[in-house]
Amino acid sequence: YVKLMYEKLVSHSGRQCERNGVDQGMHNVLVWTNQISNLHILTQESGPIANMQAELIVVSGDGKNLRVNNKRGQLMPIVHQYDRDMTVLRAFESLHVDWVPDDSKLCKGYNIDDSGVDLFAGRCDMGLAGGATSKGDCCRACNSWDGCKAFAFSIKDGKCYIKDCNNVGSAKRMTLRGGGSTGWQIT
């Protein structure tokens, strides 16, 4: 499998791909074109791995009492992409992270709107930063991204939508999944 993945990634077509998530795409090509011998495919409902991106799981509890079950109520022993579900991510952080980011310090120099709406929807998008647990993470991402002037933080997705404009005006607005914030640099 590793050899097949390597060959696919370094091939001409593999090098032409957009890099974010290309490993998953190449994996899917290998699986669905039957290039892996003796492959046994398990579904989310029957396998031991909860893929949080697929949203086919049920999360309950918090902290030490957090449970990730499949739709049949079976506990999932392996949780993949735990940062895609804020409840799971927060529980993991509460058990394993001994610091809490201070959003007010990280977002100094930004106007912040916590209404759960992307105030720059569909315009001036530069890119995406994942794994965000707070608007402070998005302020940090924007500060380190050349040309960034604003961001939208989606709580449910844990993503920062990086923007290169900061004029809110009467632009199209879009509700962020699970709520969130928009921040733009004070000029």
Side-chain angles (χ1 to χ4, degrees):
Y1 175 80
V2 172
K3 183 179 181 219
L4 286 171
M5 278 291 282
Y6 173 78
E7 289 170 353
K8 189 59 89 174
L9 288 167
V10 299
S11 70
H12 177 72
S13 62
R15 289 190 317 271
Q16 302 303 312
C17 291
E18 185 269 323
R19 302 319 291 172
N20 187 19
V22 73
D23 58 331
Q24 183 66 49
M26 294 299 181
H27 167 81
N28 289 339
V29 167
L30 294 175
V31 168
W32 299 112
T33 58
N34 299 314
Q35 295 182 47
I36 304 171
S37 60
N38 300 318
L39 179 67
H40 179 71
I41 298 175
L42 300 173
T43 66
Q44 285 277 349
E45 291 79 20
S46 64
I49 301 172
N51 179 346
M52 302 307 289
Q53 182 76 17
E55 299 181 352
L56 297 173
I57 47 81
V58 177
V59 176
S60 60
D62 59 4
K64 290 182 181 179
N65 299 314
L66 182 82
R67 293 184 57 87
V68 177
N69 297 335
N70 63 18
K71 295 284 184 179
R72 296 189 318 202
Q74 298 167 318
L75 184 64
M76 304 299 286
I78 302 169
V79 179
H80 175 59
Q81 297 180 324
Y82 64 87
D83 62 327
R84 308 299 168 89
D85 184 285
M86 286 298 111
T87 302
V88 175
L89 179 59
R90 296 275 189 242
F92 179 78
E93 287 176 335
S94 73
L95 295 172
H96 302 288
V97 175
D98 59 358
W99 73 90
V100 177
D102 184 345
D103 287 348
S104 64
K105 287 182 181 175
L106 292 169
C107 293
K108 187 175 180 177
Y110 285 83
N111 292 305
I112 301 291
D113 178 294
D114 290 321
S115 67
V117 174
D118 180 350
L119 299 177
F120 301 94
R123 64 185 181 105
C124 65
D125 292 321
M126 292 179 64
L128 180 68
T133 63
S134 71
K135 60 189 166 198
D137 289 334
C138 293
C139 290
R140 182 184 303 115
C142 189
N143 288 337
S144 65
W145 198 302
D146 285 342
C148 179
K149 297 180 181 176
F151 65 84
F153 167 55
S154 171
I155 292 173
K156 174 80 173 151
D157 297 329
K159 294 180 180 171
C160 306
Y161 298 91
I162 304 297
K163 317 286 185 169
D164 65 1
C165 64
N166 61 355
N167 54 332
V168 176
S170 60
K172 181 176 110 178
R173 286 147 164 67
M174 181 178 74
T175 301
L176 294 159
R177 284 177 33 109
S181 305
T182 296
W184 62 100
Q185 292 176 349
I186 299 169
T187 55

